[in-house]
Amino acid sequence: MLRMRKYQRIIKKIYRVLPKYAEMTDERLKEQTSVLREELLQGKTLIDILPNAFAIVIEADKRVLGLMPYDVQVLGGLALFFGNIAEIKTGEGKTLVATMPLYARALLGEKGNYLITANEYLAERDGQAMGRVFEWLNLSVGVGVGTEDQDFETKKRLYNSDIIYTTHSKLGFDYLFDNLGSELAEQVVSKFNFAIIDEIDAVLLDGAQTALVISGSPKVQSNYYQISDWFVKSLTEEDYEYSDDKRKVWLTKAGLTKLEQYFDIKDIYSEQYVDLYRHIVLALQANYLKQNGKDYVVESGKVLLLDVVNGRIMPGVKMQGGIHQAIETKESVEVTSETKTLGTISYQSLFKKFTRLSGMTGTAKTDEKEFMETYHLKVIEIPTNIPTQREDKKDKIYVSNQTKIEESLEAVREGIREQRPVLIETGSVSMSNLYSLVLLQNKIPHNLLNAKTVAREQQIISDAGRENSVTLATSMAGRGTDIKLTSEAKQHGGLKVIGTERMTSKRIDNQLRGRAGRQGEPGESVFFVSLEDKMIVENSPHWVRQTRQRLAKRVTEGKRPATDQVNIRRLKRVMDKAQKKFGNAEVQSRKNTLAYDTILSGQRTRIYAARNKVMSEDETYLEKIMSQCVNRVVTNFVGETTNLTVESVADFVFNNMKSDYPLEDIERRVGRDSKKKQIYEFLIQLSSYLLVQSLKRFNDGAQARYFKKVVILRAIDGSWIDQLEYLQQLKNIVNGRGMAQHKPVNEFGREARRHFFKMEDQIFLDIYRSLLLSELKAKPDGSIDIEFP
Ligand code: ADP
């Protein structure tokens, strides 16, 4: 409330200064950007000049685009400017809303102000259209599309723009690539200042499980997949159990016993069976969690993942950590090779890098608690410009699926009779295929929009607003899928949305309803649900099943009319509760993912920060690493070697420092009863001496610095890749154990930390060996080739 009042006050100020700008010539108005920038330089704050900034964009929007932002759009713009989620209904003009906060935030001259959309089509379309306004106002705009074939200069220019329209994946990949290189000057994504995330609910909530991954070379193929799959397929129900939310599965005691018999081993948890166990867990997940038609489809011998958000096939995307290969084995298609992960980041971690984050969507209010708790983002509901005329009907509840489908068909027919466009929504690709069949059997022509028809999507959508058209779709979040009504369709009552089941959350339900009644147009929405719907069956108490059976019996006995609609309030509550229970499980699972991710992200941040420092070739920092390195390697060796003898010391020297170091010298320095301390001092002395010798080989300081940089980066990258791999597998393993005894995330955190220290040791050892053992070869052109040990 307080916030609203604050915004209203600013809006008043905006309209007070607007006439001043409205009177200006184009030339003068264009100059206002530098006028405001000057004022900022003189000491005014962004808040001081905010009304002017907004007024300038409003006037420019009007002159350049011919669109004058409505009051509610200005309100939305303020909500975004201050870092909130603005809930703005479909068709209300989010694209235009974004121009105001983006301009204002870019005024400071700090780079890194983004509008981030879910797909390239939108980034390009909106970036081009709105870019005209910013350029008119003398700000630079970049549109980030086409990830592969962009040269460095183009990329650099893009990220140096005042305002950038791009996709989340492009930004994420460019960021990861920046941290794979070895030159600071080659990094392009430097600033994370302000971001507006378009369809923020789809990105942060529905896409919460997705991470960006840069893959490297293939790994050696494991031969455990097939045997694990055979074993898992032989299990019966008492051998495994699910977590309440059905997102995890693990072996019960009975299952473990079977496992040990099957493979004739003892104690599967022991170190030697880690790899086998990991594959068993993967096979369990592939067989009992991942569903063909929901999570993936199999097409011409390939497993293709489906986007959880819109059911689209994601070509080229694979699940990491071996689960993709486990699914391929389950489906008996050719198993593709696993690749090493060079870099990975989740969208959550990516967006958390921004100083100020905001987002817009048509549906966020239902999940405001989660946005607040997880991202500290407040949801602000922006009213529509014209009140909606959409009629949201009460749910129609049935006992059996069959009656539900029959009745929903009747509703479709009614829509056709009224000559209005009808949009039928199903919860999964497989349901949409089934429903399509039913429509065909009933001779109802329709367009089917699901994962397999991406190419025709735009065409189907533009047809979906015509009178008499029937469109069948899986839930499709995302803009650019706006259904525009023809004037006939409007006259006949607008779009009729028919949901054939409750979706996975109220928010998705609302998303569907929101397809109808845009911008004050007429429209209608209704959901058909049955007690046999999967979500209800899996998430409701026992008595519901009994009621279902009892009622079903009465129907077959003919005691009730053919329409067994049971409009009992109690059942409605069951539906709501089931949806809520499912929703809570989703929230929990997202929190969980985030918890894992935070641990990984902390490690990544440390590694990337270290890399950046090394890349800056800061002499003091490099020196510090050198001496840390020498100290840690020698300390570890002396500390960990139980039997410190001339032989073990000599071994260490030959392997890590100098292969032709005279043995007599070691014998002279390491006596039979030398103390650890003496050996430590000897090795430190020797290392330091050899290090100086090694660096003396370079002609100048710059070359030596370059050598150190390459050596350190190489060591960090090699170990970091292994660490990523390890964390991936660790996550699978801790998730594949029963949850009774421990919290998997805690265990993950503990192990991850322990392994991080181990990785540091490895990095230091690699640096140490490279520094002392690398061979140098001078090339005729004066450059030097380094041959690493
Ligand atoms: P959303 O993304 O919120 O669904 P869009 O940004 O796609 O909406 O805009 C929907 C339509 O409304 C577009 O055709 C746009 O030109 C139009 N529009 C937006 N704002 C205004 C305005 N202030 N005046 C007139 N038309 C507008």
Side-chain angles (χ1 to χ4, degrees):
M1 241 17 249
L2 228 87
R3 220 181 228 105
M4 275 301 176
R5 233 174 280 152
K6 172 172 130 190
Y7 295 166
Q8 294 299 353
R9 269 203 305 277
I10 301 176
I11 290 179
K12 258 197 208 140
K13 284 190 197 157
I14 293 173
Y15 285 115
R16 210 175 301 139
V17 295
L18 188 56
K20 179 174 100 183
Y21 296 109
E23 279 168 12
M24 289 181 182
T25 61
D26 283 1
E27 289 321 303
R28 285 230 20 230
L29 187 60
K30 288 178 183 194
E31 285 163 19
Q32 295 309 304
T33 301
S34 36
V35 172
L36 289 188
R37 282 191 159 164
E38 187 54 35
E39 288 182 15
L40 285 170
L41 280 177
Q42 301 299 328
K44 284 205 178 164
T45 68
L46 199 50
I47 301 300
D48 296 336
I49 61 157
L50 190 60
N52 304 67
F54 265 57
I56 290 167
V57 200
I58 291 172
E59 186 57 27
D61 281 339
K62 187 176 131 202
R63 292 192 196 180
V64 180
L65 304 172
L67 300 174
M68 176 88 177
Y70 306 120
D71 289 8
V72 284
Q73 288 179 309
V74 179
L75 184 66
L78 285 172
L80 294 175
F81 176 87
F82 285 106
N84 302 289
I85 294 177
E87 184 181 273
I88 304 174
K89 297 278 172 305
T90 312
E92 289 292 303
K94 293 185 204 60
T95 321
L96 190 65
V97 170
T99 56
M100 296 170 270
L102 281 173
Y103 175 78
R105 285 280 166 206
L107 271 179
L108 276 174
E110 286 173 21
K111 309 293 178 185
N113 303 294
Y114 289 86
L115 190 119
I116 298 172
T117 65
N119 66 54
E120 295 203 345
Y121 166 75
L122 286 173
E124 180 143 33
R125 187 192 72 179
D126 296 353
Q128 303 277 356
M130 302 301 118
R132 285 169 53 211
V133 179
F134 300 124
E135 277 171 356
W136 197 85
L137 287 170
N138 291 315
L139 291 185
S140 55
V141 184
V143 177
V145 293
T147 320
E148 289 87 26
D149 42 11
Q150 251 177 0
D151 60 57
F152 175 68
E153 289 307 321
T154 319
K155 265 192 183 175
K156 192 88 191 165
R157 214 173 318 124
L158 167 67
Y159 287 101
N160 257 329
S161 308
D162 292 306
I163 292 164
I164 302 162
Y165 279 71
T166 192
T167 64
H168 48 8
S169 62
K170 161 101 173 132
L171 175 64
F173 278 131
D174 282 345
Y175 170 71
L176 289 176
F177 274 119
D178 271 358
N179 290 288
L180 292 177
S182 61
E183 299 294 333
L184 273 186
E186 283 169 8
Q187 295 193 338
V188 287
V189 194
S190 45
K191 289 273 168 34
F192 291 88
N193 191 26
F194 174 65
I196 301 176
I197 302 175
D198 200 3
E199 299 293 334
I200 190 166
D201 56 330
V203 176
L204 289 187
L205 304 184
D206 304 329
Q209 318 285 350
T210 330
L212 296 168
V213 175
I214 294 185
S215 311
S217 50
K219 288 190 296 201
V220 183
Q221 195 68 324
S222 145
N223 46 18
Y224 280 138
Y225 284 114
Q226 189 58 64
I227 192 161
S228 304
D229 193 67
W230 281 328
F231 166 69
V232 161
K233 283 204 168 96
S234 77
L235 295 176
T236 52
E237 262 179 36
E238 72 270 6
D239 297 329
Y240 56 91
E241 63 185 351
Y242 295 98
S243 60
D244 283 347
D245 61 6
K246 292 254 158 75
R247 280 164 195 281
K248 284 182 202 146
V249 60
W250 56 80
L251 293 177
T252 57
K253 228 177 168 131
L256 285 170
T257 311
K258 253 189 206 163
L259 169 76
E260 290 177 356
Q261 280 165 359
Y262 193 97
F263 291 96
D264 190 22
I265 55 174
K266 278 204 185 69
D267 190 14
I268 178 71
Y269 287 147
S270 71
E271 196 73 25
Q272 55 177 320
Y273 299 126
V274 167
D275 211 33
L276 172 63
Y277 183 65
R278 180 172 78 86
H279 284 84
I280 300 283
V281 172
L282 289 171
L284 271 173
Q285 292 170 344
N287 278 282
Y288 300 123
L289 294 182
K290 301 292 177 193
Q291 288 174 27
N292 191 344
K294 180 163 163 282
D295 299 296
Y296 63 90
V297 289
V298 182
E299 256 181 32
S300 38
K302 286 204 178 76
V303 169
L304 302 168
L305 296 189
L306 298 179
D307 188 329
V308 282
V309 182
N310 52 28
R312 287 185 193 140
I313 288 180
M314 303 190 285
V317 179
K318 281 190 184 182
M319 279 180 265
Q320 292 294 306
I323 183 76
H324 205 93
Q325 286 70 22
I327 295 175
E328 288 169 335
T329 314
K330 163 191 172 187
E331 296 293 343
S332 307
V333 300
E334 195 184 331
V335 178
T336 54
S337 55
E338 276 184 83
T339 47
K340 282 189 179 160
T341 300
L342 301 182
T344 175
I345 190 167
S346 70
Y347 291 133
Q348 288 86 336
S349 304
L350 182 65
F351 294 137
K352 280 189 168 177
K353 299 181 72 62
F354 279 95
T355 316
R356 197 176 290 268
L357 189 61
S358 69
M360 45 188 194
T361 167
T363 44
K365 202 69 190 166
T366 43
D367 296 66
E368 65 179 332
K369 192 162 153 251
E370 185 176 356
F371 281 120
M372 194 60 197
E373 283 175 4
T374 320
Y375 300 98
H376 308 290
L377 288 168
K378 194 171 163 56
V379 178
I380 297 191
E381 240 178 318
I382 309 295
T384 54
N385 190 41
I386 312 172
T388 177
Q389 286 185 54
R390 192 184 67 223
E391 198 188 341
D392 294 328
K393 297 238 166 107
K394 266 201 211 143
D395 288 359
K396 308 254 185 198
I397 303 175
Y398 302 89
V399 173
S400 73
N401 240 331
Q402 194 187 343
T403 333
K404 178 189 85 170
I405 290 175
E406 281 165 12
E407 290 297 308
S408 65
L409 263 180
E410 196 37 54
V412 174
R413 287 202 189 93
E414 191 185 281
I416 296 173
R417 275 199 298 278
E418 292 167 355
Q419 300 194 335
R420 24 195 326 202
V422 176
L423 174 69
I424 311 162
E425 290 271 354
T426 60
S428 65
V429 178
S430 47
M431 271 308 284
S432 80
N433 286 331
L434 207 69
Y435 210 94
S436 177
L437 222 63
V438 175
L439 287 175
L440 281 179
Q441 279 165 357
N442 284 274
K443 303 202 168 50
I444 300 177
H446 60 279
N447 276 319
L448 175 61
L449 186 67
N450 68 19
K452 299 190 177 167
T453 54
V454 186
R456 287 184 57 225
E457 186 163 326
Q458 292 297 329
Q459 183 60 39
I460 293 177
I461 291 288
S462 63
D463 284 346
R466 285 195 198 162
E467 61 281 8
N468 289 325
S469 76
V470 176
T471 310
L472 177 57
T474 42
S475 78
M476 36 179 200
R479 291 190 310 130
T481 47
D482 227 21
I483 296 176
K484 295 217 164 71
L485 297 181
T486 60
S487 53
E488 279 87 354
K490 271 184 221 170
Q491 276 165 20
H492 297 146
L495 184 69
K496 180 168 181 167
V497 172
I498 297 176
T500 62
E501 59 197 292
R502 281 276 187 91
M503 300 300 151
T504 47
S505 71
K506 265 250 127 48
R507 180 172 53 83
I508 310 264
D509 288 355
N510 289 343
Q511 238 170 43
L512 297 189
R513 294 190 199 276
R515 296 276 158 206
R518 310 157 56 245
Q519 299 175 337
E521 285 171 349
E524 179 189 321
S525 76
V526 60
F527 279 80
F528 287 79
V529 278
S530 99
L531 292 183
E532 288 178 351
D533 286 355
K534 190 164 169 285
M535 190 177 59
I536 315 292
V537 172
E538 285 177 2
N539 295 285
S540 50
H542 190 61
W543 66 263
V544 176
R545 192 197 304 177
Q546 290 167 337
T547 310
R548 187 168 60 226
Q549 285 161 350
R550 203 179 60 241
L551 288 175
K553 196 159 156 242
R554 285 180 58 166
V555 173
T556 40
E557 284 168 0
K559 282 188 192 151
R560 281 180 73 94
T563 29
D564 59 341
Q565 196 192 338
V566 274
N567 248 331
I568 313 166
R569 289 240 303 280
R570 196 165 172 211
L571 288 185
K572 164 127 185 8
R573 270 210 303 279
V574 169
M575 304 274 169
D576 288 341
K577 269 198 176 150
Q579 195 178 37
K580 211 164 187 170
K581 187 171 164 207
F582 187 87
N584 288 342
E586 297 239 298
V587 173
Q588 198 46 49
S589 146
R590 286 195 288 265
K591 278 193 178 154
N592 225 354
T593 307
L594 205 64
Y596 285 113
D597 193 61
T598 309
I599 295 165
L600 170 66
S601 179
Q603 300 197 350
R604 181 183 47 238
T605 307
R606 281 175 68 174
I607 289 290
Y608 284 2
R611 285 186 100 265
N612 277 350
K613 269 192 175 162
V614 174
M615 278 192 278
S616 74
E617 298 188 29
D618 176 63
E619 188 68 58
T620 351
Y621 184 70
L622 293 179
E623 279 309 313
K624 199 176 113 197
I625 294 204
M626 302 285 122
S627 69
Q628 263 183 355
C629 168
V630 167
N631 190 27
R632 182 120 158 213
V633 170
V634 174
T635 308
N636 281 348
F637 168 70
V638 175
E640 284 162 11
T641 313
T642 40
N643 195 12
L644 275 176
T645 59
V646 174
E647 286 71 35
S648 58
V649 173
D651 230 35
F652 177 79
V653 172
F654 297 155
N655 281 328
N656 302 302
M657 301 163 81
K658 195 168 168 30
S659 51
D660 55 357
Y661 190 79
L663 182 62
E664 309 83 68
D665 198 52
I666 301 174
E667 281 169 340
R668 194 162 48 77
R669 299 287 300 261
V670 182
R672 184 171 313 198
D673 39 40
S674 284
K675 297 269 175 330
K676 276 193 174 188
K677 187 154 177 290
Q678 285 167 300
I679 294 176
Y680 169 83
E681 273 162 11
F682 162 62
L683 288 174
I684 290 281
Q685 223 177 28
L686 183 59
S687 316
S688 310
Y689 168 75
L690 290 174
L691 185 56
V692 172
Q693 294 300 315
S694 166
L695 293 174
K696 262 195 189 152
R697 296 178 294 173
F698 296 94
N699 302 330
D700 56 40
Q703 266 186 353
R705 266 201 306 281
Y706 181 79
F707 172 66
K708 290 180 208 164
K709 178 177 87 172
V710 171
V711 161
I712 300 172
L713 288 182
R714 199 170 168 276
I716 292 181
D717 292 347
S719 289
W720 176 237
I721 291 170
D722 291 345
Q723 173 78 352
L724 284 177
E725 174 74 25
Y726 174 78
L727 292 180
Q728 183 78 259
Q729 301 187 355
L730 178 64
K731 190 166 140 186
N732 269 331
I733 288 177
V734 297
N735 269 328
R737 292 192 193 147
M739 296 211 285
Q741 310 85 351
H742 50 213
K743 278 187 102 174
V745 175
N746 294 354
E747 187 178 341
F748 178 80
R750 226 175 10 254
E751 277 299 302
R753 205 165 33 249
R754 199 178 61 80
H755 214 264
F756 190 83
F757 292 129
K758 248 172 93 174
M759 173 193 70
E760 282 183 341
D761 283 338
Q762 185 60 44
I763 290 177
F764 280 125
L765 184 62
D766 286 346
I767 296 176
Y768 185 87
R769 297 188 69 230
S770 297
L771 285 174
L772 301 182
L773 294 175
S774 287
E775 303 265 350
L776 301 186
K777 288 228 169 85
K779 291 205 293 195
D781 64 356
S783 63
I784 293 175
D785 251 359
I786 305 169
E787 269 180 28
F788 291 98

